[in-house]
Amino acid sequence: MRIMLTGIAALMASSMLVGAASAETLRWARNSDALTLDPHSQNQGTTHNFNHHIYETLLDRDVEGNLQPRLATDWYVKEGDETVWVFELREGVTFHEGQEFTAEDVVFSIERAKSENSNMRQLHADVESATAVDDYTVEFQMAGPSPLYPNNVTNTFIMDAGWSEEHDLQQVQDFGAGEDNYAVRNTNGTGPYVLTERDPDVRSVLTVNENWWGEAPAVTEIIYTPIADDATRVAALLSGEVDLVQDVPVQDIERLAGTQGIKVETGPENRTIYFGYAMDDEPLLSSNVTDENPFANPLVREAMQLAIDRQAIQQIVMRGQSIPTCVNMPPFVSGWTEELDACPAVDLDRARELMAEAGYADGFTVTLDTPNDRYINDEAISQAVVGMLGQIGIDVTLASRPIAQHSPLILNNETDFYLLGWGVPTFDSAYIFNDLVHTKTDEYGTYNIGLYSNPEIDEMIQSLGTMTDLEARDQVVADIWNQVQEDNLFLTVHVQVLAYAMRDNMTLAVHPENQPMITTVSYQ
């Protein structure tokens, strides 16, 4: 009920602005809010998308996935030393509070992003040091040749070092512990918009940064309203109370596309939706099996793969707006093959046989933790899987929560079975391996919720960061994926398909990372 009331309160607030809104004000609704504004705390898409409007990165990607200059204007391997990356910085940039942007800010931010509480640290695990050569040149000393490192900086935001020190922000927010700091609700970036109002989960307002180095955007004010309830969010668009809905429910796409004054843009996202499970030897927290972990048995995991009807989820739950897959990477990602993508035929009889061979002919109970406001039809997907697993004797209780509660639960490994979505901003398999596959350590495995551990695979994963022979690297990537698939590490369901609905006088292309920049909005 509290979530619904929040959505209604947001609508009431925005309704007062309907008459005043113009082409310069864009009222943007999503199904959830940024988890935090501390730019290095959470490696999460909605959070990054919001923060990209306030903070900036050295590089970013366009809608085709190409690397583009941002705060860095050039980047290259240092002549004579292939273990050093050089980034030349944009001159004349200032932070929102007037401080000059220099190399010292980059050094501070990278070191902060590498620190203990940062969920960005695995992206910079191969960075041994960052040095300001002069005010506009930074050198990254890598642990070895790292030809693909620039792919890793597209979501690492640059903070002002002096402002951060003034507000005791040397340490990143420990989100999982529920800690707070000044950066959670206060910002000072170099980006195109300045935060002027922040009421988490209700409403935030961004106004244009008149001193931004880029081309002045058409939108000069953003009113950002999280509306968790699908029907309420769509109703807000239809009534004229919002101009853009980023998370269009699949059941409403056709209706909205046929509504006068509204248009819908669709496209595949660089994101998979998958289920994970605890894979260590500890008994599950929520099961009637108290002396062992059924998910640690490979026969059980194989049985689950055979029980999931991905085509049915696509057709019934997603109304055709998904791409079924059995590998936890989208086709955008280097390492993807049709063979890895292929799914076994649904075979309930064989699945039941495997359950019996594993010693669970009578099944077992377990709780499935799912978000209900993060991914398209996330709770409905989980409900479908509950029914499918019930057919092979796995009695699943569904526990549904907002993403703000789901995230700390899984990051603290306090779940037996969970739903998660994973995007790949580097377009490279190493990003998946570093976070989801590597044994959980201080530098790797941040989202290895199931505590999978394979020392041989860990060694292979770490080698990818400094391999210069790209053909040999591709083979290592393939070998890792083969092991991941053999172990049934992920119960992957589909690649998510995106839909944005908006006023028909505006244009905003679907972004493969689902991180559209409002600076790219144009009006007819």
Side-chain angles (χ1 to χ4, degrees), residues 319-440:
R319 309 289 183 94
Q321 296 297 311
S322 68
I323 304 171
T325 183
C326 281
V327 66
N328 204 12
M329 63 174 159
F332 298 94
V333 175
S334 174
W336 182 91
T337 66
E338 290 185 2
E339 291 75 18
L340 289 170
D341 189 64
C343 290
V346 177
D347 191 338
L348 295 178
D349 290 337
R350 178 56 183 154
R352 294 185 189 106
E353 290 175 1
L354 289 167
M355 290 288 289
E357 289 177 35
Y360 300 105
D362 295 328
F364 59 88
T365 64
V366 70
T367 295
L368 168 60
D369 294 302
T370 184
N372 55 22
D373 63 355
R374 173 62 183 97
Y375 311 108
I376 299 170
N377 279 4
D378 41 17
E379 185 175 10
I381 295 166
S382 294
Q383 288 172 339
V385 167
V386 167
M388 292 169 185
L389 293 180
Q391 297 181 84
I392 62 170
I394 303 177
D395 184 5
V396 182
T397 298
L398 189 64
S400 176
R401 301 175 178 85
I403 188 64
Q405 298 172 24
H406 183 72
S407 287
L409 181 81
I410 64 173
L411 284 171
N412 289 329
N413 300 96
E414 296 172 353
T415 179
D416 294 330
F417 188 27
Y418 61 93
L419 179 142
L420 193 62
W422 197 252
V424 192
T426 65
F427 288 65
D428 182 73
S429 288
Y431 184 84
I432 303 167
F433 301 151
N434 289 348
D435 253 326
L436 306 186
V437 180
H438 192 287
T439 300
K440 195 162 191 171

Side-chain angles (χ1 to χ4, degrees), residues 110-126:
I110 296 299
E111 290 177 347
R112 189 176 190 270
K114 282 172 57 67
S115 65
E116 180 181 2
N117 293 332
S118 171
N119 272 3
M120 310 303 294
R121 61 187 183 277
Q122 73 284 351
L123 291 164
H124 309 287
D126 294 317

